[in-house]
Amino acid sequence: MLRSIANYALILSAISSSSAFSVVPSQRQVSSSSSSSTQLDMFGDAFKNAFSNDDQLSKPQNAGLTNGPKENDQVKINGKAVKAIVGQKVSVVAAQARVKISYNCKAGDCGTCNIKMNGKTVKACQMTIPAGKCDMRTM
């Protein structure tokens, strides 16, 4: 038991004298008149001028559509006004408005999804929202 305590003491003295585990006091002189600031010296002055050209760059542009999606405010399904985007599928607009349209093939072959759009019979699975007035009625 005494031998193991002596071994621990020897190991601890070797570790404490090693520079790998010791704390070296900072070589910087801190004057009381200067303000302290947090600074990362890991990269030195490498990033000092990293963003200096930001003033010369143009204003950032919207990465989406140039003028945004073209909305059609004149869309009605069974007399209920709904929000829709020109070119959007009728089936999607009807589902968002919670209007039930029966579908079978979704390929335009069977005619199960026939609706009246502006007085003409069309297939909801194949049609898209037009620009201008759009009055749809389920059958």
Side-chain angles (χ1 to χ4, degrees):
M1 173 112 172
L2 286 175
R3 185 178 236 182
S4 63
I5 292 174
N7 285 340
Y8 281 128
L10 181 64
I11 291 171
L12 286 175
S13 67
I15 289 174
S16 66
S17 66
S18 169
S19 64
F21 294 100
S22 62
V23 176
V24 179
S26 175
Q27 299 296 327
R28 291 188 198 167
Q29 294 291 330
V30 178
S31 66
S32 59
S33 63
S34 68
S35 63
S36 66
S37 66
T38 304
Q39 186 176 0
L40 295 175
D41 288 331
M42 183 183 322
F43 298 106
D45 290 336
F47 294 118
K48 185 175 183 179
N49 297 321
F51 301 104
S52 63
N53 67 339
D54 279 354
D55 297 337
Q56 299 168 357
L57 297 175
S58 63
K59 190 173 183 179
Q61 295 179 345
N62 185 357
L65 298 173
T66 307
N67 295 321
K70 186 175 181 185
E71 294 181 8
N72 187 347
D73 297 333
Q74 302 175 7
V75 178
K76 291 183 179 182
I77 300 178
N78 293 336
K80 177 183 175 183
V82 295
K83 291 184 178 182
I85 298 172
V86 175
Q88 191 174 17
K89 286 192 168 193
V90 169
S91 58
V92 173
V93 174
Q96 288 175 344
R98 297 182 185 260
V99 174
K100 183 165 175 33
I101 298 176
S102 298
Y103 299 96
N104 194 9
C105 69
K106 289 202 174 186
D109 295 331
C110 68
T112 306
C113 61
N114 282 348
I115 61 169
K116 292 264 188 189
M117 179 185 281
N118 295 331
K120 296 180 182 177
T121 302
V122 295
K123 296 173 182 171
C125 66
Q126 299 297 304
M127 289 302 296
T128 58
I129 300 296
K133 182 184 174 197
C134 180
D135 185 22
M136 297 179 277
R137 304 275 175 184
T138 57
M139 300 170 84

